[in-house]
Amino acid sequence: MAVLPIKLTKTNRDKLAQVLWVLNWISVVTGIILFSLGIFLKVEINKRQDLMAESQLQSVPNMLIAVGLIACVINFLGGKICYDCVDTNKFLRWKLVMLPYIICTFFFTLSVLVGALMCYSMHGQLEEALTLGLRDAMRYYKDTDTPGRCFLKRTVDQLQIQFQCCGNKGYRDWFQIQWVSNRYLDMSQREVVDRLRSNVEGKYLMDGVPFSCCNVNSPRPCIQYQITNNSAYFNYDYQTEELNLWMRGCRQALLDYYTNIMHSVGLTVLIIWLFELSVLTGVRYLQTSLENVLRQGDPESESDGWLLENSFVETARSNFNIIKHLGKFNQINISSNGDPNIDKPPTAHYGPDNVPPKPLPMAS
């Protein structure tokens, strides 16, 4: 029994072909949108690539770019096919092409769905990349005179100012690393030397943060050094008073930023997938109805169209049997002992008179 059968008259088939021609051209535009979304996402990730660890984050934009290009090609061809299908005679030139085209379009539509799901599923991977990347960027913050790292101070400062954040998880992350280069430390001061010697790794650690952590909306002058020392400032208690620093960590700020982008892109791709699926359904109905017209031999007659000629179970069983027997056409019958030549009689190759050669005399 056919799945979701419908009856189409000649007028309905012509209208369906015309509508699908328009929808395929709209699908070309959606392919351009997919390509543009992939480019946009790739640029956004590359903007802050120095703050992310090496990961597979580029797989999502790369897939969207590839799917967008394929969508333009497939839907351009689909528009040409649907335009010719208005005339039954022109359909004959596409008759053998339409089923492979529909199968390819089905897998393409499936890849669009996979791209949408990937946008929603990369939250954990993005969080790990940001955690490790920000940790390394903060560690190399002081290396302003080291080739390959001299730009990280400016990058981290711009990040904290733009996203109003501080540190990886929070401002206290700066307490655990040396973010001031030794070239700016006065080794003649005993306090500096004692602080260096008190650390096992010889690092200059302090309860301070870079200037970019300061909250510009705070009415009080920024307190960025000796943050945990209440006696260092007048009328100050860091445990009860709201600090004039950005309290949110940069990892969470970037994670929220990229998550919003991913969800927006994922929703757009999901809508495009539903649109492509509807176009594919219409093309399938058009193909089956036109093939039934050819069987009937009357181009003006009413014909049936369907998604599947048999039920889902019967179609799956039939395809499974086809795949199962694909490799059995050229098989060699092998006997039980595994030697295909075991039952063959030996072939004698004698001389021209079919006389066996005489044995050579043995040396005495």
Side-chain angles (χ1 to χ4, degrees):
M1 182 179 179
V3 178
L4 298 178
I6 60 173
K7 288 188 177 297
L8 295 172
T9 62
K10 176 67 167 61
T11 303
N12 292 336
R13 289 194 300 270
D14 292 345
K15 289 182 178 180
L16 178 60
Q18 293 170 357
V19 170
L20 289 174
W21 175 75
V22 175
L23 293 180
N24 271 283
W25 279 107
I26 296 177
S27 295
V28 173
V29 177
T30 62
I32 297 175
I33 294 175
L34 286 174
F35 178 82
S36 302
L37 288 175
I39 294 293
F40 168 74
L41 194 55
K42 194 177 187 68
V43 170
E44 286 296 320
I45 292 176
N46 288 337
K47 275 183 182 178
R48 297 172 181 86
Q49 191 173 10
D50 299 324
L51 302 174
M52 300 180 186
E54 293 293 334
S55 62
Q56 301 296 325
L57 294 177
Q58 294 289 351
S59 60
V60 177
N62 290 340
M63 183 173 185
L64 292 179
I65 291 172
V67 168
L69 292 175
I70 295 173
C72 293
V73 176
I74 285 182
N75 291 300
F76 178 82
L77 178 61
K80 174 62 177 174
I81 293 175
C82 293
Y83 181 81
D84 288 344
C85 284
V86 176
D87 187 353
T88 307
N89 294 325
K90 289 184 179 180
F91 168 72
L92 292 174
R93 73 177 70 167
W94 298 107
K95 182 177 182 297
L96 298 178
V97 177
M98 283 199 71
L99 184 57
Y101 168 79
I102 291 175
I103 294 174
C104 293
T105 306
F106 172 77
F107 285 106
F108 156 73
T109 308
L110 187 63
S111 66
V112 176
L113 177 61
V114 172
L117 296 178
M118 288 176 65
C119 291
Y120 286 99
S121 63
M122 65 179 300
H123 183 274
Q125 188 178 2
L126 180 62
E127 183 176 9
E128 182 181 1
L130 288 172
T131 301
L132 299 178
L134 285 170
R135 182 198 64 186
D136 293 338
M138 292 173 60
R139 183 185 303 170
Y140 303 136
Y141 179 88
K142 68 180 186 304
D143 298 338
T144 54
D145 54 350
T146 303
R149 300 176 184 173
C150 54
F151 61 89
L152 282 176
K153 179 182 182 299
R154 181 183 62 183
T155 302
V156 173
D157 285 334
Q158 289 177 344
L159 169 69
Q160 295 187 143
I161 293 173
Q162 179 182 356
F163 285 87
Q164 299 181 354
C165 58
C166 184
N168 194 336
K169 299 180 181 178
Y171 71 92
R172 287 183 174 273
D173 293 334
W174 290 106
F175 298 176
Q176 303 171 9
I177 62 172
Q178 179 180 343
W179 54 272
V180 178
S181 176
N182 287 339
R183 63 186 297 188
Y184 301 114
L185 297 178
D186 187 1
M187 296 301 178
S188 62
Q189 294 186 8
R190 184 175 182 81
E191 179 186 356
V192 175
V193 176
D194 290 343
R195 190 180 293 272
L196 289 171
R197 290 178 178 176
S198 63
N199 186 267
V200 177
E201 299 179 357
K203 295 181 179 181
Y204 185 79
L205 304 181
M206 58 180 177
D207 54 345
V209 297
F211 76 97
S212 53
C213 283
C214 295
N215 187 344
V216 296
N217 300 318
S218 175
R220 182 169 186 162
C222 183
I223 298 177
Q224 64 179 111
Y225 298 106
Q226 297 183 345
I227 295 175
T228 59
N229 186 2
N230 292 332
S231 61
Y233 304 96
F234 174 74
N235 192 22
Y236 174 70
D237 185 356
Y238 82 98
Q239 291 183 338
T240 59
E241 184 177 352
E242 183 178 356
L243 299 180
N244 53 0
L245 304 175
W246 302 120
M247 305 303 294
R248 184 173 62 160
C250 291
R251 182 194 65 179
Q252 189 61 44
L254 283 176
L255 189 62
D256 293 342
Y257 174 75
Y258 280 109
T259 299
N260 290 333
I261 291 179
M262 291 295 181
H263 287 176
S264 300
V265 172
L267 179 61
T268 305
V269 176
L270 196 60
I271 294 173
I272 292 176
W273 171 73
L274 292 174
F275 180 77
E276 294 285 350
L277 188 62
S278 63
V279 175
L280 175 61
T281 303
V283 173
R284 175 60 175 169
Y285 276 119
L286 181 63
Q287 179 239 345
T288 52
S289 62
L290 287 174
E291 285 189 350
N292 287 328
V293 167
L294 294 179
R295 292 192 188 102
Q296 296 171 8
D298 183 7
E300 303 296 328
S301 64
E302 186 180 62
S303 62
D304 292 329
W306 52 67
L307 291 181
L308 293 175
E309 188 172 2
N310 300 313
S311 64
F312 288 105
V313 177
E314 292 175 353
T315 303
R317 185 184 297 114
S318 176
N319 292 332
F320 177 76
N321 291 332
I322 292 174
I323 297 174
K324 183 178 179 181
H325 293 89
L326 275 178
K328 293 187 176 181
F329 293 104
N330 297 320
Q331 277 190 345
I332 299 174
N333 291 326
I334 300 176
S335 59
S336 59
N337 61 359
D339 188 356
N341 299 317
I342 192 65
D343 295 329
K344 292 184 178 181
T347 303
H349 298 283
Y350 299 147
D353 298 328
N354 200 24
V355 177
K358 296 180 178 180
L360 294 176
M362 300 296 293
S364 58

